Amino acid sequence: MAQETLTPGPLVTQEARDLMDLASTEESVSELLRRGLDWLTRITRFDLATLFLLKDERLVAVAARGPLANAKVRGHVLKLAEFPMVRQALETRRARAFTEEDHSGEGDPFDGVLDLPPGHSCMVVPLCSGERRYGVLTLDRSECETYPQAVVDLVEVYGQLLATALQNAEQKAAFERLHRQDHEHAKLLESQLGGDSEGILETSLSPVMRDLARRARQVAETDTPVLLLGETGTGKERLARAIHRWSPRADEPFVTINCAAIPAGLLESELFGHVKGAFTGATRDRAGRFQMAHGGTLLLDEVGELPVELQAKLLRALQEKTFEPVGSDKTVRADVRLLAATHVDLQQAISQRRFREDLYYRLSVFPLRLPPLRERLEDLPQLCAFLLDEQSRRTGRRGMRVTSEGLERLAAYGWPGNLRELANVLERATILSRVPELGPDAFDLPVREKALTAAPTVSAARAEKSEKVATLAAVQREHILRVLSLTKGRIYGPGGAAQLLGLKPSTLQSRMKKLGIARQDQFIVESPS
């Protein structure tokens, strides 16, 4: 009978690429095994290919291919103690073709399962990688001949590739499991440290805050970029976390970066990552915040401090969801929902050429302004209770509360540091007080009249309630009209409205039609100052 002739080099190289790609992309090890057997048909002929995995000194069939494959084969179990030659193949890590004499000595592995003729073609290939012995691959043919040694050697190489792919898939599954555990642990830790502040947003006594929470919930359901505005310490990061937890991405990472806290020379690497050797000290590849936040939410805190030279690269990352790590020419894709926060007046920064106008329009699709504490004094009792409970987990001082006189003392202060300053004042008072009641004497605050420090009062905040609240569609319509005015009605091409908004021209025209923006509307809206 004619011998099989095969060219091992190019074929094994292609199989290596296919198997490694599969191990890095497939979630299921069973899918890897199934396709691994399918690819085996490219190497040699067989009537049955069976993949056994080693479990407690037993080989358990987990996949089978070929005309002889059936349910009995797929449920077959071999005890290694009863098949010394199979055990030897595993221990020596060498494939071998079985002869008729081998079968007569210890029997065929499929005796009682298949009716194969004596002397049929049979091969056992160990699946080993590193220190691990994963199992064996067996090949059987009904013809009575021995597999040529060249074929045995080639399939042995394939078995090594398959075992390596199994190891990669196993490590990937373990990594993903640890990642999920770390993510769940981080969420639990955040909750224990008082990170779940959604309730205090939605139960606020301030009409302004309740409206803010309502709009934040609405936009959380989308992937629309949100720009959080407000004085330092007003709780922009807390609101960003709430938006993330209200969003469909709640189970994915929430990553923050403070653009003002990182030196300009390192900020690009922090955002986009770098490769080994990109600069002095880059001893290994390092993922940036965009990659860390893949699938989840990225908060750019203090985005107004972002260096101008980095803003163009950020704009491209937002528009195309792609970027290149520092020192690399490889494009990386990241699916990130972006939130940005700043206390800087970005319109003024634009006029001073410290902030790109196109980036501003990309970030401020849905702006949310957090009021300062002096504009929401109705919430002072609730805020104090919330912050004291949050701090008790760190200080161990439970049951602390602010008396009515203490609240009056706090309400008389202007709070230039807002919620952050309030939290510091309460924690300081908690540490120093010997009793659980915090009265006016417990707080070390400058004496200031509210009238001198507070601009809008509680009554002004209530008056704001009567103002009509714009819907999300109305906000989008107004923003599109402003951009159209800026471009003098031009939609297409560089500097056109579609490019500034990061949309395809056809998508923009469809949205304009949906929002009722007529062609003549493009010229009646004043350009933003």
Side-chain angles (χ1 to χ4, degrees):
M1 195 171 289
Q3 297 291 318
E4 297 180 67
T5 58
L6 296 168
T7 305
L11 183 60
V12 173
T13 302
Q14 180 60 44
E15 294 303 323
R17 287 197 295 267
D18 289 344
L19 285 171
M20 293 308 105
D21 289 344
L22 181 61
S24 65
T25 58
E26 293 290 349
E27 295 180 358
S28 171
V29 173
S30 61
E31 176 70 4
L32 170 64
L33 301 179
R34 181 186 69 78
R35 292 179 62 178
L37 288 185
D38 289 343
W39 280 327
L40 191 60
T41 59
R42 307 176 190 178
I43 296 180
T44 187
R45 290 177 291 163
F46 57 82
D47 294 320
L48 176 65
T50 312
L51 204 151
F52 292 88
L53 292 185
L54 183 61
K55 299 180 181 178
D56 301 325
E57 292 300 303
R58 298 187 310 156
L59 290 170
V60 181
V62 295
R65 284 290 178 275
L68 298 179
N70 57 37
K72 273 186 152 184
V73 170
R74 294 186 178 92
H76 193 39
V77 177
L78 301 176
K79 294 181 180 179
L80 277 179
E82 297 176 359
F83 294 92
M85 292 185 181
V86 176
R87 176 191 287 276
Q88 184 183 27
L90 261 176
E91 291 176 347
T92 61
R93 301 189 172 207
R94 295 304 306 269
R96 64 170 296 173
F98 280 47
T99 64
E100 184 175 357
E101 291 76 16
D102 294 329
H103 288 311
S104 62
E106 64 181 42
D108 188 87
F110 289 104
D111 283 345
V113 178
L114 295 173
D115 186 18
L116 291 166
H120 69 276
S121 301
C122 179
M123 186 193 314
V124 174
V125 181
L127 302 176
C128 303
S129 180
E131 299 297 320
R132 287 290 305 276
R133 296 185 302 167
Y134 288 95
V136 298
L137 172 65
T138 63
L139 300 182
D140 294 272
R141 289 174 61 187
S142 298
E143 288 86 350
C144 294
E145 65 174 6
T146 302
Y147 275 111
Q149 188 59 44
V151 175
V152 174
D153 293 340
L154 182 59
V155 180
E156 180 180 291
V157 173
Y158 182 84
Q160 293 171 354
L161 294 173
L162 183 57
T164 302
L166 272 172
Q167 185 178 49
N168 291 345
E170 186 180 67
Q171 292 173 347
K172 181 174 182 287
F175 174 79
E176 290 177 347
R177 184 171 61 252
L178 289 173
H179 177 73
R180 287 193 300 269
Q181 292 174 350
D182 287 345
H183 182 54
E184 291 301 319
H185 181 263
K187 288 176 65 177
L188 177 62
L189 183 61
E190 183 181 1
S191 175
Q192 291 175 342
L193 292 176
D196 295 327
S197 54
E198 296 96 326
I200 199 169
L201 284 169
E202 297 186 297
T203 60
S204 169
L205 298 177
S206 166
V208 179
M209 286 301 298
R210 287 202 303 272
D211 178 58
L212 177 70
R214 180 184 62 80
R215 289 187 291 144
R217 261 200 181 278
Q218 286 179 303
V219 76
E221 298 172 0
T222 73
D223 274 347
T224 301
V226 178
L227 180 61
L228 305 176
L229 305 168
E231 297 177 7
T232 299
T234 50
K236 295 186 287 294
E237 183 174 344
R238 285 182 183 271
L239 180 58
R241 290 183 181 277
I243 291 173
H244 173 70
R245 283 193 287 265
W246 287 332
S247 77
R249 298 172 179 256
D251 291 330
E252 301 301 327
F254 177 83
V255 179
T256 68
I257 180 170
N258 190 319
C259 301
I262 300 173
L266 299 178
L267 194 52
E268 182 178 0
S269 172
E270 285 293 324
L271 280 172
F272 305 112
H274 64 252
V275 297
K276 181 179 179 181
F279 50 83
T280 303
T283 57
R284 59 182 178 86
D285 292 357
R286 184 172 183 273
R289 305 298 173 94
F290 268 86
Q291 290 164 279
M292 294 177 189
H294 178 67
T297 304
L298 174 63
L299 170 64
L300 298 180
D301 200 6
E302 300 298 348
V303 72
E305 306 297 335
L306 197 66
V308 176
E309 60 271 17
L310 193 54
Q311 292 175 21
K313 189 167 186 177
L314 174 61
L315 181 63
R316 183 204 165 196
L318 299 181
Q319 291 176 335
E320 303 178 13
K321 296 186 182 295
T322 59
F323 56 89
E324 289 81 34
V326 178
S328 172
D329 57 0
K330 180 181 179 181
T331 299
V332 177
R333 179 169 293 275
D335 173 24
V336 173
R337 197 271 177 85
L338 190 82
L339 306 178
T342 183
H343 70 282
V344 173
D345 184 343
L346 293 183
Q347 291 284 9
Q348 183 179 1
I350 291 171
S351 65
Q352 297 172 352
R353 300 185 179 276
R354 292 188 293 108
F355 204 83
R356 291 177 62 109
E357 190 171 27
D358 49 2
L359 178 58
Y360 169 75
Y361 284 119
R362 186 66 182 170
L363 295 175
S364 64
V365 178
F366 199 94
L368 291 174
R369 176 183 176 274
L370 283 86
L373 180 55
R374 61 182 176 271
E375 293 181 12
R376 51 178 298 204
L377 292 178
E378 306 99 314
D379 289 337
L380 199 55
Q382 184 184 14
L383 288 170
C384 288
F386 174 80
L387 292 172
L388 286 172
D389 180 65
E390 180 182 271
Q391 292 169 5
S392 67
R393 298 176 176 89
R394 299 195 306 272
T395 64
R397 300 293 304 274
R398 301 185 181 276
M400 304 296 289
R401 69 179 188 87
V402 182
T403 65
S404 56
E405 294 82 4
L407 287 172
E408 290 180 6
R409 175 78 176 89
L410 294 176
Y413 182 59
W415 299 110
N418 294 294
L419 295 182
R420 186 178 295 121
E421 185 181 13
L422 175 62
N424 293 342
V425 167
L426 289 172
E427 186 163 355
R428 186 163 61 244
T430 298
I431 294 171
L432 295 175
S433 178
R434 296 184 178 181
V435 295
E437 291 80 18
L438 301 177
D441 296 335
F443 304 113
D444 181 19
L445 290 171
V447 178
R448 297 185 183 181
E449 293 294 331
K450 282 191 293 182
L452 296 177
T453 56
T457 61
V458 173
S459 59
R462 286 175 178 161
E464 191 172 336
K465 180 181 180 181
S466 62
E467 294 181 7
K468 184 178 178 181
V469 177
T471 64
L472 177 57
V475 172
Q476 289 182 339
R477 187 178 192 278
E478 180 183 357
H479 185 60
I480 290 174
L481 284 169
R482 286 183 177 178
V483 176
L484 286 169
S485 293
L486 187 69
T487 63
K488 296 185 178 359
R490 188 159 55 88
I491 294 176
Y492 293 86
Q499 184 188 61
L500 292 180
L501 290 168
L503 299 173
K504 293 181 179 178
S506 59
T507 302
L508 175 56
Q509 288 180 315
S510 175
R511 192 163 300 180
M512 287 168 58
K513 182 176 179 181
K514 183 177 179 181
L515 295 173
I517 300 177
R519 298 289 296 182
Q520 61 268 24
D521 291 339
Q522 299 169 11
F523 305 100
I524 61 175
V525 180
E526 295 180 358
S527 299
S529 57

